[in-house]
Amino acid sequence: MSKLHIATSINGEPVEFLADPSASMLDALRGPLGLTGTKEGCGTGDCGACSITVDGRLVCACLMLAVESEGHEIGTIEGMAQGDHLHPLQQKFLEMAALQCGICTPGMLMASRALLEKNPDPTEEEVRFGLAGNLCRCTGYDKIVRAVLETAAEMRGAA
Amino acid sequence: MNEMSNKWIGKNTIRPDGADKVTGRAGYAADNTMPGMVWGKVLRSPHAHARIRSIDTSKAEALPGVKAVVTRDDIVEFPLDKSVMLGIQDMRWMCRNVMAREKALFHGHAVAAVAAISEEVAAHACSLIEVDYEVLPHVIEIEDAIKPDAPILHEWNQFEGKPSNIAGTMVLKTGDVEAGFAEADIVVERTFKTRPVHQGYIEPHACTVSYAADGRVTIWSSSQGQFMVRAMTSLLTGIPQSDIRAIPAEIGGGFGGKTIIYLEPVAVMLSKKSGRPVKMVMTREEVQRATGPAPGSLSTVKIGAKKDGTIVAAKGTFYLQAGGLPGSPLRGPVGCSFAQYAIPNILSVGFDVVSNRSKVAAYRAPGAPLGAFATECVLDEIAQALGLDPLEMRLKNTVKAGDKAIYGPTFGAITFKETVESIKHHPHYSAPLDKNPRPGVKRGRGVASGFWYNAGGESSVQVNITEDGNVLVTTGHPDVGGSRASISNVVAELLGVDHARVNVMIGDTQTIGFSNLTGGSRVTFASALVATSATEKVIGDLRQRAAKIWNIDAEAVKWQDGMALPAGDNAGKFPPLSLKELAAKANEMGGPIGTQVQLNTTGADPGFATHCVDVEVDVDLGIVRVLRYTAAQDVGRALHPAYVEGQIQGGVVQGIGWALSEEYLYDAKGRVDNAAFLDYRMPVCSDVPMIEPVMLEIPNPKHPQGVRGVGEAPIVPPLAAIANAVHDALGVRFYELPMSPPKVSARLDAAG
Amino acid sequence: MTDIRYLAPRTLDEAVGAFAAAAGAARILAGGTDLLVQMRNGVAKPGTIIDIKKIAEMTSIEETADGGFRIGAAVPAVALAEHARFGKVWPGVLEAINLIGSKQVQGRASPGGNLCNGSPAGDSVPAMIAAGAVVTVQGPNGRRSMPVEAVPAGPGRTNLQPGEIVVSFTLPPRPAGSGDAYLRMIPRTEMDIAVVGCGVSLTMAGGVVTAARVGLGAVAPTVMLVDTAAKALIGSRLEDAALEAAAAACRAACKPIDDKRGTIVYRTKVAGVLLKRTAAIAAQRAGGN
């Protein structure tokens, strides 16, 4: 079977691309779509570095076929900031040093945003379980959890 | 000179590379593409141990879409009888690790590689390469590899006159250890085992390489040192270093594991043969099977003490699993295990044991954690037997300035005592702990200490003042954990300018002077040192230029708050000249402003850490969880406190994984049975609590800002601290890691 | 370029037709959280992938007229978690399904996929068995129903006939005084495969267990219904002796293997421990109804 023509929406903009039926969404994002902000740490859904949203739901791009994106809304790290205005989570990760090498950071941010959208006032335990699918080897998670909690508090305050 | 206002040093500034990293724009190794690029893929050995009789690549070469195939014949061979060292790596082993030569030494060992128009075609071509293997018996575990009848990996290697898998030894001694034990009131000797663990960086190894028609090579790759990449690639391909530009991509974690190379020389040869740029990216499975874990170990530690807790003798025997080729980090356990204690009689011996698993690579304080696991658990047992507080016992035996270290030098300032006292007085250590909070649940508390050498070494930096009067700093060290932020703090401080006006970049091998690896807890220490020197030179130049403009003596100009000011008798005679003003006049006053400083830095005194941990054990299931963790360490001076804390927190959690859940598992055929993150269990976010770092800022007198290396010491104590806490909870001592649920359960059942 | 075909039929008949026509060379794609990993590792090399997520019946959750639930086989775990009522009626089934992988995996993974993957360690399966769930399957010869426990045949294998697709799960109406629970043992707190999984569903009246079902996972080639354990609970007030008898029944039912995730001894022991803990939670929920 030759490649399939896929029409989808990525970060709010219509996108068309050709996908091999066996290619993962991660392959498509990092390859033809040039969106390398989504990282591959394992390719088997165990590290969360490739976290994206599909119709608002958090998924691993490596566990989804590219062809399945047809007709859906895909969100990636490249769409998290509004122009040069960082999302509060992005800003807080920087302020609180919640990243070291930064390779897990795009996935961690996508998962954190999904978490806060569902639960604007999470406990530490809820943050920890909410981010359990995102491995970080550098930080020991401490500053990430704190950054998410503090962002949540600020966003509640601003709301 | 500049007054230290501490406007930026010690502040948690936002890192210069931060916005790129939170928006997905930072360029990591696998993110790069080149025009006309093809894909490289490695064929790996399906056997744990096999002689390679021949390799026939003709079918692979004939496959449409295949552009090149390389084998051992394409990599420079370093003969077995002559050692060629690059840093701590022997190129005899590196060339055989990058591409199997006489033998495949582990399952997953690279045997050949293909470049093709797609990853799929490359993978298919790999399957068409015919390798004639003579499969040999394999051996994995240390106990098996040192048996007299063990399969021998390297027939040329002799130990005590016979072919052996013991490929090296290291002995450190002081005093007379047997006489020391004879004086002791109590002697405890225990044997410990640890499993190999992987560094676990989330970013797999990757590179993009171009070998151009003129023979010049560009390498874009993830490593802890672009100069290491250049040098090793040069040695393994025969291409002169001047023709290899190694560009450091952003690195997605290393922890020591990216201090050697796997793909780059292979990709260079594929590019040379194919005439196309080549991209290679490992899968996670390849990373787990074929890149360096830390060694497993078999250690025996014997310590003798007087009734009052004074240690009189210590003996350590450390067998480390090197992997298929020699080179385990013996100096870790042999040199560090007793280093923070003043012990008159020590014999510390290490054995480098080869077996059919991937060659070890450095991992955060290489070898030290497994040595501290043994020593610090035995100390706990002695303190308990003597009825002493374990921290008091450590305080009683701490080394002092002027003591001679077992590994050679005489210690300068020693800050071990401060770390112990810090934990002793921390509320955690005296907090009530309900040891039986619920039926079936027990809790315990443990402490342990650790030592790491730290390192200085070569570092280069450029400080350039831009034409518009801002500052660009270029260093030669890949930034793994925020080093750019620390350096920008230092330079902004010294120049007296706003932090936002200082940008820090990482130079490639052809744009910045030689700089050694990001590793050894050395980068902040060394690069702050050269950055200070360079910035001071620049300031000296700026003062001279101001002096010329004012036509006064340069000595009569001071630099303050980003401005040249007339000083002394001339004070107030001229309006200050700002950095921007001086930059604007640069060309008429002698040309561009900037300098490069290259030094072999010294003065990196060792790091000390003492940790306290509370654990909870689900007795029926054997699950150990960490409830509370406090880690005290002398950090010298924290240039950027949040990133220093992050080093401590990250190191501790890696130690928690080592203690409780991480291990390499092998099947009967010698294949790694858990080559994925699912079953190689690194701690996830919900597995760990907040980690409280206690940063003791005792300035290192040998460093302009007082910096002391911090990255490695935090992983040294956790293994023992957790084992001691588990003992406190259960009354059972664990001598093997990880303390995983089936093992804990089995020990408890056996203990009745 | 691969020669894989991707089909996303809109109707079940189309899906069944395509699946049957592929004669074993096709794989059904629901959440894909197992299939994509198998394809990447080379374990699965399907000639055709049939994505069933565009079939309404397979992606919807309905409350049946009698008070039960019908869950489409491809409903992602997260949708069940978002459902207003499901988790109140079947908290144990929901927690089992929500233990399948990370939040990311829950965005995709489905009970149908979890069952058809045939893993002895699938988390939702013991809970579904305990719940007495029935699966509806459709194949070339039409529709039929079977209890969940009849589906697994061994590691990676099911008793489905060639061409049959699992369409939905039907959970029975809940009598008053009922509760269910699922616990699994994993070394970490998340991101692991069950070393042992245990689902218990109880109905109680006046403190006495009137009905019970026990499902046990990861301790035998298939997830099992453990009738002997249920019998030990029925008629009891969950006294220590009854719980110990049920735990012993679970241990006796175990036929585990030593593997990288656990030993025979450990798994057998843990099966008993989890039975007691799971039953206690189910009883508490039954009392709370």
Side-chain angles (χ1 to χ4, degrees):
Chain A
M1 191 168 183
S2 52
K3 290 190 178 185
L4 297 173
H5 176 267
I6 305 299
T8 183
S9 162
I10 299 180
N11 300 324
E13 289 175 1
V15 171
E16 295 177 42
F17 64 102
L18 296 177
D20 186 288
S22 67
S24 71
M25 192 65 211
L26 180 58
D27 294 335
L29 288 171
R30 293 185 54 82
L33 296 168
L35 295 171
T36 54
T38 304
K39 303 300 177 192
E40 175 166 333
C42 67
T44 50
D46 301 313
C47 78
C50 68
S51 297
I52 59 170
T53 56
V54 179
D55 300 334
R57 280 180 182 156
L58 190 69
V59 307
C60 285
C62 72
L63 293 184
M64 171 181 174
L65 293 176
V67 293
E68 291 182 84
S69 66
E70 170 81 32
H72 293 284
E73 291 277 340
I74 306 294
T76 74
I77 186 66
E78 287 88 351
M80 194 161 175
Q82 298 299 313
D84 64 355
H85 189 70
L86 295 178
H87 185 279
L89 278 163
Q90 293 173 310
Q91 186 63 33
K92 194 58 71 182
F93 268 51
L94 290 180
E95 288 169 5
M96 296 182 69
L99 63 150
Q100 285 179 30
C101 81
I103 196 82
C104 76
T105 307
M108 200 63 88
L109 285 165
M110 294 300 287
S112 300
R113 187 178 68 175
L115 171 76
L116 295 189
E117 280 172 359
K118 272 197 170 176
N119 182 358
D121 189 10
T123 62
E124 181 192 331
E125 189 181 17
E126 286 167 343
V127 172
R128 288 191 177 277
F129 278 89
L131 299 179
N134 294 76
L135 286 175
C136 170
R137 190 62 157 173
C138 293
T139 64
Y141 303 105
D142 183 300
K143 294 189 188 306
I144 293 171
V145 174
R146 288 179 199 275
V148 173
L149 288 169
E150 193 149 321
T151 309
E154 277 185 15
M155 289 175 75
R156 288 194 307 276
Chain B
M1 210 54 216
N2 182 58
E3 296 287 304
M4 196 71 87
S5 66
N6 285 336
K7 201 168 172 188
W8 301 111
I9 287 176
K11 296 295 188 298
N12 289 327
T13 53
I14 289 181
R15 57 198 289 166
D17 51 324
D20 278 351
K21 284 187 173 157
V22 297
T23 54
R25 293 180 196 178
Y28 290 84
D31 299 341
N32 195 38
T33 55
M34 287 186 185
M37 185 183 89
V38 293
W39 290 83
K41 195 80 196 154
V42 174
L43 173 69
R44 297 183 180 278
S45 170
H47 307 293
H49 193 194
R51 198 174 309 284
I52 299 173
R53 293 197 191 104
S54 64
I55 303 175
D56 181 351
T57 61
S58 54
K59 285 182 186 158
E61 282 160 9
L63 185 72
V66 170
K67 300 297 175 191
V69 180
V70 304
T71 66
R72 54 191 175 183
D73 299 336
D74 299 290
I75 300 294
V76 174
E77 177 174 11
F78 288 79
L80 292 167
D81 56 2
K82 185 164 174 284
S83 174
V84 175
M85 298 300 290
L86 181 76
I88 59 166
Q89 298 298 335
D90 191 324
M91 298 312 293
R92 288 179 295 173
W93 319 142
M94 282 307 304
C95 80
R96 285 167 176 79
N97 196 45
V98 161
M99 198 58 80
R101 193 157 283 279
E102 301 83 3
K103 279 177 164 185
L105 293 163
F106 57 93
H107 176 253
H109 197 165
V111 173
V114 173
I117 53 167
S118 71
E119 284 183 282
E120 293 75 21
V121 173
H124 184 204
C126 283
S127 72
L128 298 177
I129 295 174
E130 291 170 357
V131 185
D132 183 10
Y133 292 106
E134 176 193 349
V135 179
L136 302 168
H138 67 270
V139 60
I140 303 288
E141 304 299 341
I142 294 170
E143 310 79 301
D144 300 326
I146 59 178
K147 280 180 186 160
D149 58 347
I152 297 296
L153 272 71
H154 305 295
E155 292 78 4
W156 42 265
N157 180 64
Q158 301 251 320
F159 181 71
E160 295 178 341
K162 285 182 290 226
S164 170
N165 290 322
I166 295 178
T169 58
M170 177 176 178
V171 181
L172 293 176
K173 62 191 291 189
T174 184
D176 178 339
V177 75
E178 292 310 324
F181 285 125
E183 284 173 34
D185 295 320
I186 178 172
V187 175
V188 172
E189 179 175 21
R190 297 285 180 250
T191 294
F192 299 82
K193 285 187 199 175
T194 67
R195 304 288 300 163
V197 292
H198 198 270
Q199 292 82 352
Y201 34 83
I202 307 300
E203 177 202 40
H205 300 260
C207 66
T208 323
V209 167
S210 162
Y211 182 102
D214 59 2
R216 289 182 208 271
V217 172
T218 306
I219 300 172
W220 162 279
S221 75
S222 167
S223 79
Q224 288 173 246
Q226 62 275 42
F227 291 90
M228 174 279 297
V229 170
R230 182 177 74 174
M232 283 197 186
T233 304
S234 172
L235 286 163
L236 295 175
T237 61
I239 298 166
Q241 289 191 10
S242 53
D243 281 348
I244 301 175
R245 181 181 181 201
I247 302 172
E250 294 301 332
I251 168 175
F255 316 107
K258 291 176 184 167
T259 58
I260 59 174
I261 54 173
Y262 299 92
L263 299 174
E264 287 87 339
V266 176
V268 166
M269 295 315 292
L270 286 172
S271 181
K272 182 179 181 181
K273 281 186 149 182
S274 66
R276 303 275 287 267
V278 173
K279 179 167 180 170
M280 300 184 83
V281 182
M282 281 196 199
T283 62
R284 174 55 47 184
E285 186 181 345
E286 288 179 292
V287 172
Q288 297 296 113
R289 286 196 197 290
T291 70
S297 68
L298 174 64
S299 310
T300 300
V301 162
K302 180 178 178 182
I303 294 177
K306 293 285 198 188
K307 278 186 184 136
D308 68 352
T310 305
I311 305 172
V312 291
K315 184 178 173 188
T317 310
F318 305 98
Y319 289 86
L320 267 60
Q321 224 171 356
L325 293 153
S328 61
L330 296 182
R331 69 187 281 272
V334 173
C336 295
S337 296
F338 309 110
Q340 69 265 40
Y341 302 113
I343 307 174
N345 306 292
I346 301 176
L347 176 61
S348 190
V349 184
F351 296 93
D352 188 29
V353 182
V354 292
S355 68
N356 296 110
R357 42 187 301 275
S358 58
K359 173 179 163 51
V360 296
Y363 179 28
R364 213 166 192 154
L370 55 91
F373 172 52
T375 299
E376 297 288 309
C377 285
V378 170
L379 282 182
D380 202 62
E381 203 165 336
I382 291 175
Q384 194 177 43
L386 295 174
L388 298 173
D389 177 282
L391 296 178
E392 290 295 342
M393 180 161 166
R394 284 169 175 80
L395 286 173
K396 195 172 194 64
N397 290 287
T398 176
V399 281
K400 294 168 190 64
D403 288 355
K404 192 166 160 32
I406 186 179
Y407 57 88
T410 299
F411 283 120
I414 290 292
T415 53
F416 175 46
K417 184 166 68 79
E418 286 82 351
T419 71
V420 180
E421 284 175 341
S422 159
I423 291 296
K424 193 178 140 197
H425 298 123
H426 193 281
H428 181 174
Y429 193 59
S430 51
L433 181 69
D434 182 353
K435 296 184 81 170
N436 299 288
R438 301 184 298 281
V441 174
K442 293 194 180 294
R443 290 178 178 171
R445 178 170 295 155
V447 295
S449 296
F451 170 94
W452 180 247
Y453 302 106
N454 289 337
E458 304 92 335
S459 192
S460 299
V461 73
Q462 290 170 9
V463 175
N464 286 307
I465 307 301
T466 57
E467 303 96 288
D468 62 356
N470 292 305
V471 189
L472 178 64
V473 182
T474 307
T475 91
H477 303 298
D479 178 355
V480 194
S483 59
R484 276 179 277 223
S486 300
I487 297 312
S488 69
N489 280 4
V490 169
V491 174
E493 186 79 59
L494 294 174
L495 273 171
V497 299
D498 191 281
H499 174 266
R501 290 173 58 192
V502 181
N503 199 358
V504 183
M505 309 295 288
I506 313 301
D508 67 57
T509 53
Q510 316 309 71
T511 60
I512 183 73
F514 178 78
S515 301
N516 212 322
L517 294 160
T518 296
S521 301
R522 60 175 297 271
V523 158
T524 305
F525 172 87
S527 53
L529 213 151
V530 289
T532 300
S533 173
T535 306
E536 285 175 348
K537 280 189 180 179
V538 165
I539 291 171
D541 188 16
L542 291 164
R543 287 168 59 221
Q544 283 194 351
R545 290 172 190 234
K548 267 191 196 167
I549 291 168
W550 293 328
N551 203 17
I552 61 174
D553 196 45
E555 296 306 307
V557 178
K558 68 174 181 178
W559 186 263
Q560 191 177 312
D561 295 333
M563 288 182 291
L565 298 170
D569 294 347
N570 299 303
K573 286 190 181 164
F574 309 101
L577 280 167
S578 70
L579 183 60
K580 280 185 192 296
E581 287 165 321
L582 287 165
K585 294 177 192 290
N587 283 349
E588 53 199 272
M589 299 305 300
I593 307 167
T595 192
Q596 171 155 330
V597 168
Q598 297 154 287
L599 287 173
N600 184 11
T601 64
T602 57
D605 274 1
F608 299 95
T610 299
H611 293 185
C612 180
V613 58
D614 293 352
V615 300
E616 178 173 289
V617 186
D618 180 327
V619 176
D620 287 330
L621 298 180
I623 298 174
V624 180
R625 300 261 182 257
V626 174
L627 294 180
R628 183 175 182 182
Y629 207 108
T630 307
Q633 187 174 335
D634 172 21
V635 303
R637 190 156 187 219
L639 299 179
H640 189 294
Y643 286 119
V644 173
E645 289 180 351
Q647 288 294 317
I648 295 173
Q649 292 164 330
V652 165
V653 170
Q654 288 181 327
I656 291 172
W658 201 333
L660 295 179
S661 58
E662 293 177 36
E663 60 178 319
Y664 267 61
L665 301 169
Y666 291 87
D667 68 12
K669 293 184 172 171
R671 300 175 297 202
V672 177
D673 199 20
N674 59 336
F677 280 145
L678 182 60
D679 288 303
Y680 182 79
R681 298 190 180 90
M682 308 197 306
V684 301
C685 194
S686 48
D687 289 339
V688 291
M690 296 295 188
I691 306 298
E692 184 180 345
V694 180
M695 294 190 296
L696 305 172
E697 295 199 66
I698 308 165
N700 174 1
K702 298 172 188 165
H703 189 277
Q705 284 82 35
V707 169
R708 187 180 292 268
V710 293
E712 288 168 294
I715 202 176
V716 182
L719 286 54
I722 293 168
N724 291 337
V726 170
H727 170 260
D728 186 50
L730 301 175
V732 175
R733 284 203 179 269
F734 283 82
Y735 300 108
E736 282 189 48
L737 300 181
M739 292 175 279
S740 61
K743 289 179 188 165
V744 171
S745 175
R747 271 298 300 281
L748 289 176
D749 287 347
Chain C
M1 195 119 35
T2 57
D3 47 8
I4 293 181
R5 283 160 48 84
Y6 169 81
L7 303 173
R10 299 268 166 185
T11 70
L12 195 49
D13 286 341
E14 275 179 74
V16 168
F19 196 32
R27 286 289 298 265
I28 299 294
L29 173 68
T33 54
D34 289 310
L35 179 61
L36 264 74
V37 175
Q38 291 165 9
M39 284 167 62
R40 182 184 172 93
N41 295 340
V43 176
K45 291 173 182 160
T48 303
I49 293 169
I50 302 169
D51 184 351
I52 53 172
K53 291 192 294 296
K54 292 191 170 139
I55 301 168
E57 186 180 0
M58 304 192 74
T59 54
S60 58
I61 306 166
E62 289 169 24
E63 292 195 59
T64 56
D66 61 1
F69 281 89
R70 204 199 57 78
I71 303 165
V75 168
V78 66
L80 276 166
E82 288 164 0
H83 192 273
R85 287 255 309 143
F86 183 77
K88 292 194 172 70
V89 181
W90 292 104
V93 174
L94 181 62
E95 65 202 4
I97 288 172
N98 276 288
L99 285 174
I100 304 171
S102 59
K103 294 279 181 254
Q104 287 85 339
V105 169
Q106 287 158 28
R108 305 271 297 164
S110 65
N114 202 223
L115 179 63
C116 293
N117 188 46
S119 166
D123 280 305
S124 68
V125 186
M128 284 284 195
I129 288 175
V134 171
V135 295
T136 299
V137 303
Q138 185 161 330
N141 300 321
R143 283 200 174 212
R144 65 182 180 122
S145 294
M146 61 208 286
V148 169
E149 58 269 27
V151 175
R157 293 185 295 116
T158 70
N159 288 317
L160 297 180
Q161 297 298 310
E164 279 186 331
I165 299 173
V166 172
V167 179
S168 62
F169 294 76
T170 304
L171 283 80
R174 241 10 204 150
S178 297
D180 75 331
Y182 174 78
L183 289 177
R184 66 172 180 180
M185 191 282 150
I186 53 171
R188 289 185 287 196
T189 50
E190 276 283 356
M191 298 302 290
D192 260 323
I193 303 288
V195 177
V196 179
C198 180
V200 174
S201 175
L202 299 176
T203 302
M204 301 182 75
V208 177
V209 176
T210 57
R213 285 173 66 89
V214 174
L216 204 52
V219 292
T222 65
V223 184
M224 303 178 290
L225 174 69
V226 189
D227 270 331
T228 46
K231 284 197 182 105
L233 298 174
I234 293 168
S236 81
R237 295 176 167 272
L238 298 178
E239 306 86 347
D240 286 351
L243 285 170
E244 182 46 44
C250 284
R251 289 193 294 266
C254 290
K255 297 178 201 68
I257 53 170
D258 280 331
D259 70 2
K260 60 190 172 190
R261 295 180 181 134
T263 60
I264 293 169
V265 171
Y266 182 72
R267 285 192 154 111
T268 305
K269 176 188 173 186
V270 169
V273 174
L274 288 192
L275 179 281
K276 291 183 186 179
R277 294 185 183 183
T278 316
I281 298 168
Q284 193 187 10
R285 289 173 178 167
N289 274 358

